[in-house]
Amino acid sequence: MPKKSYRQAINEAIAQEMRRDPTVIIMGEDVAGGFGGSGEQDAYGGVFGVTKGLLGQFGAERVIDTPITEAGFVGAAAGAAATGLRPVVELMFVDFVGVCFDQIYNQAAKFRYMFGGKVKTPMVLRSMVGAGFRGAAQHSQFLAPIFTSVPGLKVVMPSNAYDAKGLLIQAIRDDDPVIFLEHKFLYDTEADVPDEPYTIKFGEAAFTREGDDLTIVAFSRMVQMANQAADVLAKEGVSSDVIDPRTSSPLDIAAIVESVERTGRLVIVDESTPRCSLAADVAALVADRAFHALKAPIKTVTAPHTPVPFAPTLEDAYIPSAEKVEAAARAVLASSARAAAE
Amino acid sequence: MPKKSYRQAINEAIAQEMRRDPTVIIMGEDVAGGFGGSGEQDAYGGVFGVTKGLLGQFGAERVIDTPITEAGFVGAAAGAAATGLRPVVELMFVDFVGVCFDQIYNQAAKFRYMFGGKVKTPMVLRSMVGAGFRGAAQHSQFLAPIFTSVPGLKVVMPSNAYDAKGLLIQAIRDDDPVIFLEHKFLYDTEADVPDEPYTIKFGEAAFTREGDDLTIVAFSRMVQMANQAADVLAKEGVSSDVIDPRTSSPLDIAAIVESVERTGRLVIVDESTPRCSLAADVAALVADRAFHALKAPIKTVTAPHTPVPFAPTLEDAYIPSAEKVEAAARAVLASSARAAAE
Amino acid sequence: MQLSREQLIEAYRRMRRIRDFEERVQAEFSNGRIPGFCHLYAGQEASGVGICMNLTDDDYISSTHRGHGHCIAKDCSIEGMMLEIFAREGGLCRGKGGSMHIADYSKGMLGANAIVGGNPPIVVGAALSAKTLKNGRVAVSFAGDGAANQGTTFEAMNLAVVLKLPAIFVIENNGYGEGTGVAYHVGAKGADGKPDLAGRARGMGMPAVNVDGADFFAVYEAMREATERARAGGGPSAIVTECLRFYGHFVGDPQLYRSKEELADVRANRDPLKIFRARVSEARLLDEAQLDAVDAEVAREVDAAVRTAEAAPFPDVRELETDVYVSYV
Amino acid sequence: MQLSREQLIEAYRRMRRIRDFEERVQAEFSNGRIPGFCHLYAGQEASGVGICMNLTDDDYISSTHRGHGHCIAKDCSIEGMMLEIFAREGGLCRGKGGSMHIADYSKGMLGANAIVGGNPPIVVGAALSAKTLKNGRVAVSFAGDGAANQGTTFEAMNLAVVLKLPAIFVIENNGYGEGTGVAYHVGAKGADGKPDLAGRARGMGMPAVNVDGADFFAVYEAMREATERARAGGGPSAIVTECLRFYGHFVGDPQLYRSKEELADVRANRDPLKIFRARVSEARLLDEAQLDAVDAEVAREVDAAVRTAEAAPFPDVRELETDVYVSYV
Ligand SMILES: Cc1ncc(C[n+]2csc(CCOP(=O)(O)OP(=O)(O)O)c2C)c(N)n1
Ligand SMILES: Cc1ncc(C[n+]2csc(CCOP(=O)(O)OP(=O)(O)O)c2C)c(N)n1
Ligand SMILES: [Mg+2]
Ligand SMILES: [Mg+2]
């Protein structure tokens, strides 16, 4: 199977869906880039080149550069979705959601319910998440919990190129508003990605490692850290399930509960800040639904309760690392051993 | 001590602080109401009359009606706070936060950290939360988790008139940005409220009931439901701690852990929708820090994962009720009894 | 004026429907039969109807918290609306939306909106659909003078100009946003010292006119031009309709911010129905008997709607968790 | 023109500092010594300095992602800035902010801002402080042509007009928001067919002028008037400075959206420093030797700043969790 980057996988998913369905359009700031300038028209293709080439393939009626007015164009995407298009709208960095959040959570997410089930709003909002690029406090946040908390939204966060393509095609075909969170650190990671279109169902977790001693749940880029930690532990004879839920809403809680019932131990890795995080969310569900299987405290590994700092020394300490996952896992293992010995 | 309503307590707190400190101002839509009209100038005093009379006492330079531009005036409050004022700014319904969230979470909340600790932003954002008024999907949300997740914000949610006054005075004197969430259902509830100014420290939970069999943590209006449930259970010989954290950030997790270590059983009541909620947050902390004391699953009682419906039949079912708290408590008690019997 | 007799009667019918509907809602609300909040459109009938008489069911409108009048102007079923406002299962939103969220997509009514300034971007999206799908539709955003200050309104206007969309921005200047007067809350003033909302829209790069919002014919004519321009690919326009509400901001509002004189003047001299009747009678376009017949017919309709609503069941509690998603695991 | 020789030299010094600083940042960034993103102000010097030469340390400015020039124009320490951009402990934000978040409240510099359109409301707040505290200060918002489309910009303008605040909105029209040209993204066009940002601001109810942003004197003069008006209680103004950036949107931007001709023309004919030198020499206000001396002095300063920054320590990891709050339990 051909190796493709996460970036390519996303571009291919959009291109294939645009080819298949004439109602799919893309819009956002510099998704082409160069309109109204003195040079080329597809100059950017998105700030990280994800949508490069789509303008040439589909033209300016379907690849729409917008002014810097996120509330305006995200709201327009919602309105367009409710009236017959399938817009894939780009919010460049997820940090910018504060200027257009109303159109997402009060409008797009609630149309269907408020209007008695008589409307659908098939839009996809693509946005970049995550720290590590020295982008500082307003260009590095994860923010997935905020979207996950909103009834009416689906929230997707692929951890690899293969999932990115399949989940994005699903998102575009899906009849509900979908928030599609691309981790900027993953754009250059590669995986085997089929050329044909394919979909991955929402709410179905992937197991990236399998084992019986420990369950590690990790989201988005954190799956890498979880895998690394699991591999280290495996060498010492501790085998782990590493579960990538892939979508936080809907969440495959059944898979997580099933795993914890086997392992009795849970660590959750989440790049969010800790309060009301995805990690807390999963922990709470498990502390209710799989309590009797638990042999040890549930440990979460998250960013600290701070904005994202600029300095590399600080930012590196901000991001959950494989070492921290490992330490949390060891703490859980030790605690259950102590409890068993008592 | 004089009986005062939650509404009066808030009004009094603001008035007393404005009298004490000339840098305190209030601003928002119709906080006076009537500017530019043909009739009276203090016509509203806020849509629920909370700030009524302040215009007469402090004049239009300190009681500022704004156009309907929340991003503009909430951002202005942040800018004013960073340059010498102590603005108390009103976001009429918390549901409107989507149009001004950037100014709250990327600006006010992050100034201090981004600027290396060299700035303070002593602003208070007052806003109304909660369901029950048949206000439907865009006038009834709770949304406290979203604020709680933001590093740099403090989040306060008084459950009664006494706390409202003390917490608001603390909020106004506090040097950090504070989100002050007033439950619209509580405005007419009364308590003994001293005439003198007083403060209540953030991060100190109140115990509204004390007992050894069960811990119930409840936020804002939900404290009423928790108390009712606890009283019913008490008649059957089950005694409960009911803990009102009063502030979700900072959170008095020590008090909660201490209680659970005694009772071994925890129910959390939160008007938020369930995903990434305050309830989940507390459950996760306890599942980590007091795991070994737990005798049963942690149960949460929240709103469902839906927008707030309009119809009374539906909205009444949406809001966590004392009956649901009681049911959750009974489930926890039964589960621990089963476990003990095994 | 190209309006036929039938169209004139239809225009009058919709205006009368709005008036009767709102007065009845006011009465029923005051009797405690309607939950929540209601914001009445009475007094502004000529604005909504003057606009919507230029539209078909395929065209789009989107409205505000003060949405009943726009729904009726766009020919939504008043029975469906009344059921909704009474929070009944058979309502246009099956009781889940209520007064501030009535929508009827079969009539191109994309929804009332309880977020001030929430709807202009949505209308831009509907106009984008129309342009992309080349179906010749136009999309109309109704917003108040207060909403005109929201950033979203400006963003939507600029976006519509940049993309040359068939969008029409109707700003209903009824003098107040809640209790705050437009003379205070809109900084831009015209040569006459009055708030200049049309000038502001013109500044955004689109044609904009000010019309008497109590005069159906003035509104209709301004909208006719704007609609023609939009359908011909000429891009967006703005229309500021100057009108006044008969009632308070919400039902129950004591309106302390308005003088007694203002309130008396509104009813005496700014009643769109009276003005319409005078105009069509003078010009001998319709006779009094025809208009009276409409009045009687509408009174029956509204009455029937209330009776239906009162008798209808509330949504079953099992509806609480339905229709959040089209599908969800 | 009331500028003294000393002021002229100071103006030139700040412009030269900006130019040298930015060219050095460009070089150091390209060498991999600076983390993150940098957006350079080179080419726009006359705009920032023409504005800020009208201000004292007590007055406020707030800036954008392209903030280095504004900081220097407001006399922030270039050493403190360089340390910050190099992410060092001794930086103006102690290494926590970086290029996009430099602030120095002791100089009235309220912060760069990485949210486009984030700062205008904040400036309104600073102006409100000035008015409330009656300290005679003014507050200046710098924003780009792209930012001028954000709803927050319009909201801030209206608010400043309504409250009659001493706020000045400087819109630096450098022709692009990232890769998108202003001719496309601003719908409003003037009689000459060009984007009319000043007209839009005027529509909001404040005086607004267009000036050549490569001409220090034109900017200075426009700002002098605006500042006088603001200090005299005359309310807000807008100034649109037409300028061009020498570099790409960010360091590393290949600028495909700009033609070779445009880029050549910018450096040849739109260099604010060349224009300034020509003007002051022609008018015999300053002689070449004085200017050359400034050049040499600034070159040393910038060099020293880089050397200090390179030698300075990064923040200790214990700093990660400090200064989130003033106090927290
Ligand atoms: C974002 C937002 N801010 C504030 C409100 C509260 N509110 C509801 S209606 C209203 C006044 C709106 O005034 P206008 O736009 O003139 O419409 P009108 O009520 O006069 O029809 C306000 C402030 C809201 N619903 N949404
Ligand atoms: C809210 C928001 N949207 C988008 C961006 C991404 N972005 C950063 S700079 C920029 C262009 C800004 O253009 P302009 O205001 O003209 O300033 P210039 O870069 O030309 O100085 C964009 C789109 C952002 N930082 N914030
Ligand atoms: Mg109005
Ligand atoms: Mg620009």
Side-chain angles (χ1 to χ4, degrees), chain B:
Chain B
M1 232 188 304
K3 285 264 181 225
K4 287 170 196 155
S5 71
Y6 190 84
R7 176 187 286 106
Q8 283 172 303
I10 292 167
N11 184 291
E12 192 170 285
I14 300 173
Q16 290 180 345
E17 285 306 291
M18 288 185 82
R19 216 162 292 132
R20 196 183 64 84
D21 180 349
T23 68
V24 177
I25 63 166
I26 70 168
M27 57 198 292
E29 292 155 14
D30 295 285
V31 290
F35 281 57
S38 57
E40 294 175 23
Q41 286 236 328
D42 192 22
Y44 273 101
V47 279
F48 283 134
V50 176
T51 49
K52 186 90 180 169
L54 296 175
L55 178 69
Q57 291 175 67
F58 301 102
E61 286 224 338
R62 295 178 65 199
V63 178
I64 302 173
D65 273 345
T66 63
I68 309 174
T69 54
E70 287 85 359
F73 71 76
V74 171
T83 55
L85 297 182
R86 288 188 176 267
V88 179
V89 61
E90 177 176 312
L91 177 66
M92 194 184 291
F93 288 78
V94 78
D95 311 68
F96 309 160
V97 69
V99 303
C100 58
F101 191 44
D102 183 70
Q103 293 294 333
I104 299 170
Y105 90 113
N106 270 334
Q107 312 296 343
K110 295 189 174 46
F111 282 169
R112 186 167 181 80
Y113 193 82
M114 287 192 303
F115 302 155
K118 296 184 182 167
V119 191
K120 55 184 196 180
T121 311
M123 69 184 268
V124 180
L125 184 129
R126 294 179 43 239
S127 194
M128 260 189 294
V129 298
F133 264 50
R134 319 314 185 197
Q138 296 172 342
H139 277 70
S140 310
Q141 295 167 86
F142 190 65
L143 300 187
I146 290 182
F147 298 109
T148 304
S149 74
V150 178
L153 298 180
K154 293 174 176 170
V155 186
V156 181
M157 48 194 90
S159 67
N160 61 76
Y162 176 86
D163 286 356
K165 181 171 173 181
L167 290 168
L168 184 49
I169 291 180
Q170 173 59 37
I172 296 172
R173 295 185 188 172
D174 202 278
D175 279 335
D176 291 307
V178 177
I179 308 297
F180 190 86
L181 303 174
E182 302 168 12
H183 200 295
K184 51 176 95 71
F185 232 88
L186 298 176
Y187 281 130
D188 291 319
T189 60
E190 296 198 334
D192 292 329
V193 176
D195 289 332
E196 317 68 60
Y198 57 96
T199 60
I200 296 173
K201 268 179 84 175
F202 294 164
E204 288 196 359
F207 284 67
T208 62
R209 296 289 184 277
E210 296 191 24
D212 292 317
D213 302 320
L214 173 68
T215 304
I216 310 180
V217 174
F219 294 91
S220 184
R221 183 187 173 206
M222 296 300 110
V223 174
Q224 293 184 345
M225 284 62 174
N227 286 339
Q228 284 168 33
D231 294 345
V232 171
L233 293 168
K235 291 198 191 110
E236 300 169 18
V238 175
S239 80
S240 309
D241 270 353
V242 175
I243 302 183
D244 173 2
R246 300 197 283 204
T247 63
S248 63
S249 178
L251 177 74
D252 190 351
I253 186 64
I256 297 168
V257 164
E258 180 281 322
S259 171
V260 173
E261 274 168 358
R262 246 186 310 106
T263 65
R265 300 178 191 89
L266 176 62
V267 170
I268 310 156
V269 199
D270 175 14
E271 196 181 320
S272 314
T273 52
R275 306 297 313 280
C276 305
S277 56
L278 300 180
D281 188 69
V282 171
L285 287 166
V286 171
D288 179 4
R289 304 194 193 175
F291 174 76
H292 291 297
L294 282 171
K295 299 177 195 152
I298 300 172
K299 292 279 172 199
T300 61
V301 184
T302 67
H305 187 65
T306 76
V308 184
F310 169 61
T313 45
L314 303 183
E315 195 185 26
D316 290 345
Y318 175 93
I319 302 168
S321 61
E323 292 69 37
K324 284 187 193 146
V325 178
E326 207 189 301
R330 291 190 197 284
V332 167
L333 291 159
S335 170
S336 58
R338 261 199 317 278
E342 269 165 24

Side-chain angles (χ1 to χ4, degrees), chain A residues 29 68 70 92 96 99 139, chain D residues 44 65-66 114-116 143-147 150 174 176-178 245 249:
Chain A
E29 291 155 14
I68 308 175
E70 286 86 358
M92 195 185 289
F96 309 160
V99 303
H139 277 70
Chain D
Q44 307 186 198
H65 57 287
R66 198 177 302 289
I115 299 298
V116 171
D145 48 290
Q150 278 290 33
N174 63 6
Y176 295 90
E178 295 198 345
R245 49 174 155 83
H249 172 58

Side-chain angles (χ1 to χ4, degrees), chain A residues 41-226:
Chain A
Q41 286 236 327
D42 193 22
Y44 272 101
V47 280
F48 283 127
V50 176
T51 49
K52 186 90 180 170
L54 296 175
L55 177 69
Q57 291 174 68
F58 301 103
E61 286 223 337
R62 295 179 65 199
V63 177
I64 302 173
D65 273 344
T66 63
I68 308 175
T69 53
E70 286 86 358
F73 70 77
V74 171
T83 56
L85 297 182
R86 289 187 176 267
V88 180
V89 62
E90 178 177 311
L91 177 67
M92 195 185 289
F93 289 78
V94 79
D95 311 68
F96 309 160
V97 70
V99 303
C100 58
F101 191 45
D102 183 69
Q103 294 294 334
I104 299 170
Y105 90 113
N106 269 334
Q107 311 296 342
K110 295 187 174 47
F111 282 169
R112 187 168 181 80
Y113 193 82
M114 286 192 304
F115 302 155
K118 295 183 180 167
V119 191
K120 55 184 195 177
T121 312
M123 69 184 270
V124 180
L125 184 129
R126 293 179 43 240
S127 195
M128 260 189 294
V129 297
F133 264 50
R134 320 313 185 198
Q138 296 173 341
H139 277 70
S140 310
Q141 295 167 86
F142 191 65
L143 301 187
I146 291 182
F147 298 108
T148 304
S149 74
V150 178
L153 297 180
K154 293 174 177 169
V155 187
V156 182
M157 48 193 90
S159 68
N160 61 76
Y162 176 86
D163 285 357
K165 179 171 174 180
L167 290 167
L168 183 49
I169 291 180
Q170 173 59 36
I172 296 172
R173 294 184 189 173
D174 202 279
D175 279 337
D176 291 306
V178 177
I179 308 295
F180 190 85
L181 302 175
E182 303 168 12
H183 200 295
K184 50 176 96 71
F185 232 89
L186 298 177
Y187 281 131
D188 292 319
T189 60
E190 296 199 333
D192 293 329
V193 176
D195 289 332
E196 317 67 62
Y198 57 97
T199 60
I200 295 173
K201 267 179 85 176
F202 294 164
E204 288 196 359
F207 284 68
T208 62
R209 296 290 183 277
E210 297 192 23
D212 292 317
D213 302 319
L214 173 68
T215 302
I216 311 180
V217 173
F219 294 90
S220 185
R221 183 186 173 208
M222 296 300 111
V223 174
Q224 293 184 346
M225 282 65 173

